[in-house]
Amino acid sequence: MKIEYSNNLKSIPPYAFAEISRKKKALREKGKDLVDLGIGDPDLPTPKGIVSAMSDAINDSSTHRYPMDAGRPDFRQAWADWCKKRFGISISASDVQATLGSKEGLCNLARAFVNPGDKVLVPDPGYPGYANGACLLSGGIPVKMPLLEENGYLPDLSAINASDAKDAKLMYINYPNNPTGAVADKAFYSDVVDFAEENEVIIVSDLPYSEIYFDKKNKPISFLEVPGAMDVGIELHSFSKTYNMTGWRLGSAYGNPEIVAALSKVKENIDSGVFEAVQMAGIYALTNYPEAPALDEYNKRMDTLVAAFNDIGIEAKKPPATFYLWAKVPAGETSASFVNKVMEAANVVLTPGTAFGEYGEGYFRASITSPSERIIEAAERIRNLK
Ligand SMILES: *Cc1c(COP(=O)(O)O)cnc(C)c1O
């Protein structure tokens, strides 16, 4: 039988990281010691307290049945309380939906709003989930909003052409930003609210990095903090990056009640919610860790990475947030040529900017999800290349 994929599935380009994974595997098979600064997955374990809370919860057999679709009431209340404390925003627990991480929420949300041929505004460079898992898999057409260094990696809303703006159903924004490390301020978010109202575009704010910041007196904000945002948008958060819980699959969606309800309806028809023991571990995390447990370690590592790269002549500034350093490749190189050279000759894994879209050309991303000694080792190896 001829197996024919749907047009939506066929429209998704090959996974940008597949080529890198292949090369990594080949080098490891040759016995090479790779320093991997390529991945966006915390290397530190989930804190013991959260693991113990999970252990208690899983020993309680009441957690073993199908979860309530939208999430446990105590989980949703804990999320609403956390948002009040952290961002000063008032959300009712009934307008919170537990998700299987932010990726699931942002992808399933598109099923609720995108008809075939509808446009979706996505950042470039950007997390590939917006254009692929969300937009293309729902039959939409991604329209790129370039994130340029000279604009602080914020999209220029006035540069979006009028017909794209009118035809767009959703706009994805993500600050603190993967891959650039940029943050957004209230002035930008207010402009986004105006744009959304004018063009009737739903705003999806993907916020998994709000707790990975380097200036404790100037923390990243939520989109929902600005007036009008609750009318036009939804925010997606995650336990993955804050609490080193990527494997657990826990996140939350909150904001405009009608938009949250649409996501809930999609989820009711696809998954049956988040394992309740995981939600209970999530409540423990929210109520016991006033900041990301790895924050001070990340701060040290980022200083080490920036200093080491500057030392070998790579221009890079410490970002305000995220565990990524976004930097220009040396003159005369492309993203791919530099990343390949560093991988093959220095056995250091970086991510080419082009893995996040065409506007990532000329840049690479290095993550601090390896210990400081390994980061220094990586910089030394790159220095010896030159
Ligand atoms: C890691 C990441 C996600 C996915 O997080 P999960 O909650 O683990 O699904 C979503 N968006 C961005 C920008 C990310 O970097």
Side-chain angles (χ1 to χ4, degrees):
M1 178 178 99
K2 184 167 181 283
I3 305 293
E4 177 87 16
Y5 291 170
S6 71
N7 292 337
N8 290 354
L9 189 61
K10 282 193 282 195
S11 70
I12 294 182
Y15 185 52
F17 297 89
E19 165 92 352
I20 299 170
S21 301
R22 240 189 338 270
K23 284 197 178 134
K24 269 164 60 170
K25 190 160 168 264
L27 288 168
R28 285 206 170 106
E29 275 165 5
K30 283 195 213 154
K32 302 288 186 195
D33 168 38
L34 297 187
V35 181
D36 197 343
L37 306 183
I39 46 175
D41 189 349
D43 59 314
L44 298 165
T46 307
K48 285 209 169 67
I50 301 174
V51 175
S52 298
M54 175 72 182
S55 171
D56 291 345
I58 205 170
N59 277 303
D60 171 355
S61 64
S62 74
T63 65
H64 297 177
R65 312 187 72 183
Y66 284 121
M68 286 171 67
D69 291 312
R72 290 173 60 97
D74 53 357
F75 173 82
R76 297 158 82 200
Q77 187 61 52
W79 188 265
D81 293 345
W82 185 85
C83 281
K84 181 81 196 165
K85 210 152 104 196
R86 172 64 177 85
F87 301 123
I89 55 179
S90 298
I91 295 164
S92 145
S94 58
D95 301 328
V96 174
Q97 164 73 52
T99 64
L100 300 158
S102 106
K103 187 182 200 177
E104 177 267 305
L106 67 91
C107 291
N108 273 329
L109 193 70
R111 297 171 184 263
F113 294 103
V114 176
N115 290 313
D118 282 346
K119 290 179 180 168
V120 175
L121 297 162
V122 299
D124 182 332
Y127 180 68
Y130 312 132
N132 297 346
C135 176
L136 290 174
L137 213 44
S138 295
I141 301 169
V143 175
K144 292 167 176 181
M145 302 185 291
L147 305 189
L148 307 177
E149 190 168 351
E150 64 258 34
N151 299 331
Y153 299 110
L154 299 171
D156 178 357
L157 302 175
S158 66
I160 298 170
N161 90 42
S163 76
D164 286 341
K166 286 285 170 228
D167 295 347
K169 270 307 214 354
L170 301 174
M171 176 195 284
Y172 285 90
I173 51 174
N174 163 230
Y175 296 97
N177 182 255
N178 176 11
T180 67
V183 294
D185 59 10
K186 283 196 176 158
F188 170 72
Y189 282 150
S190 293
D191 291 346
V192 171
V193 169
D194 292 344
F195 179 92
E197 283 172 348
E198 221 173 282
N199 298 290
E200 304 205 313
V201 176
I202 291 171
I203 306 302
V204 187
S205 165
D206 185 24
L207 191 64
Y209 295 103
S210 74
E211 304 315 298
I212 312 297
Y213 46 75
F214 301 120
D215 179 357
K216 294 187 184 184
K217 293 200 187 74
N218 193 13
K219 298 180 188 177
I221 60 172
S222 158
F223 171 64
L224 298 175
E225 288 180 43
V226 301
M230 208 71 84
D231 287 335
V232 299
I234 183 171
E235 199 150 72
L236 297 159
H237 213 298
S238 172
F239 288 67
S240 288
K241 314 292 168 41
T242 308
Y243 305 106
N244 313 330
M245 288 174 73
T246 47
W248 297 56
R249 313 313 302 132
L250 181 61
S252 111
Y254 50 101
N256 179 294
E258 270 182 276
I259 303 174
V260 174
L263 175 62
S264 302
K265 184 172 178 187
V266 173
K267 286 176 61 57
E268 256 166 45
N269 286 285
I270 294 184
D271 58 68
S272 297
V274 180
F275 183 22
E276 290 201 15
V278 171
Q279 294 184 52
M280 289 167 80
I283 297 172
Y284 182 90
L286 287 176
T287 46
N288 286 276
Y289 297 88
E291 62 181 35
L295 198 53
D296 293 333
E297 174 67 16
Y298 286 151
N299 200 4
K300 273 188 235 150
R301 289 180 183 182
M302 188 57 90
D303 285 337
T304 303
L305 181 68
V306 172
F309 275 178
N310 287 343
D311 203 37
I312 61 173
I314 290 173
E315 247 181 77
K317 267 203 289 217
K318 186 179 183 182
T322 75
F323 41 57
Y324 305 114
L325 182 67
W326 181 249
K328 276 205 174 89
V329 299
E333 302 272 7
T334 64
S335 293
S337 72
F338 180 66
V339 167
N340 283 333
K341 180 162 125 187
V342 168
M343 168 115 78
E344 270 151 34
N347 296 160
V348 173
V349 185
L350 302 170
T351 306
T354 43
F356 304 98
E358 59 186 295
Y359 292 92
E361 181 56 88
Y363 295 84
F364 68 90
R365 189 192 77 175
S367 61
I368 50 167
T369 51
S370 287
S372 288
E373 321 78 85
R374 299 293 283 167
I375 292 171
I376 293 168
E377 163 82 24
E380 279 312 306
R381 290 191 198 171
I382 298 171
R383 180 209 301 280
N384 292 334
L385 266 187
K386 303 185 106 185

